[in-house]
Amino acid sequence: MTDKHQVRLQVNGTDHELLVEARRTLADMLRHDLGYTGTNVGCEHGICGACTVRLDGAPVRSCLVFGVQADGAEVRTVEGLADGEELSALQCGFCTPGFLMLAEAYFAERGLAPPAAPGQPPPGAGEEPTEAEIRELVASNLCRCTGYQGIVAAMLATARSRRAAGRS
């Protein structure tokens, strides 16, 4: 006998309703039940960060969250960041979705969300992060292909361009 629960959630702005086993992770539910395969599963212990998604705005390791815990929640996956059908990757691309979701949550927290993002910016909004702050942030995710320099540079460039766009 399987313990299943009805789950309603919104993923990247689309409403979903499905029957989920209590023990199924959010990562597996997103990938296998809903088809959001951009969420990668690496270590299945929450260490690597490849499975990072935003759950009600906060970055979470979807391999550590049960799908039933997302009932009534808003989830944003890397597919929600795509402009059209394509996202470019760093090196092999396996870690890219986790880094992108981590960066997006960090920028939103700092008031550097994309120009079209709704909501009020937080106090001190728009302050450009330092390289040291970005390096500390990316240390929470693993990439086996790079020395993180390209990731840090891309995040700093994004912060600069979003800050400039916010001033225009």
Side-chain angles (χ1 to χ4, degrees):
M1 187 165 135
T2 306
D3 186 18
K4 292 191 175 188
H5 300 270
Q6 193 71 30
V7 174
R8 289 185 184 97
L9 72 160
Q10 190 177 80
V11 182
N12 302 329
T14 302
D15 292 324
H16 296 279
E17 186 173 336
L18 64 160
L19 200 58
V20 179
E21 285 186 49
R23 65 189 178 124
R24 192 160 187 83
T25 66
L26 177 57
D28 286 341
M29 185 177 81
L30 289 168
R31 288 183 60 79
H32 303 297
D33 300 332
L34 298 175
Y36 294 99
T37 57
T39 301
N40 290 324
V41 179
C43 67
E44 296 189 76
H45 296 287
I47 296 168
C48 73
C51 67
T52 302
V53 299
R54 290 181 68 185
L55 181 65
D56 289 333
V60 298
R61 308 292 206 217
S62 62
C63 72
L64 298 179
V65 176
F66 290 115
V68 295
Q69 290 176 284
D71 188 29
E74 182 180 327
V75 177
R76 189 161 186 210
T77 70
V78 70
E79 288 93 344
L81 299 179
D83 183 16
E85 292 292 318
E86 195 173 312
L87 282 172
S88 59
L90 306 166
Q91 298 286 327
C92 78
F94 190 81
C95 66
T96 302
F99 276 109
L100 289 173
M101 297 312 298
L102 181 69
E104 191 63 22
Y106 177 74
F107 290 147
E109 195 175 274
R110 291 199 62 129
L112 293 167
Q120 295 296 322
E127 292 179 17
E128 203 171 301
T130 66
E131 183 174 334
E133 290 170 325
I134 295 293
R135 285 192 177 282
E136 184 177 339
L137 177 72
V138 301
S140 68
N141 284 31
L142 296 178
C143 176
R144 294 184 175 115
C145 299
T146 71
Y148 296 89
Q149 188 55 40
I151 298 166
V152 171
M155 288 181 69
L156 287 169
T158 300
R160 274 193 296 278
S161 70
R162 286 188 180 182
R163 184 170 186 229
R167 281 190 260 159
S168 50

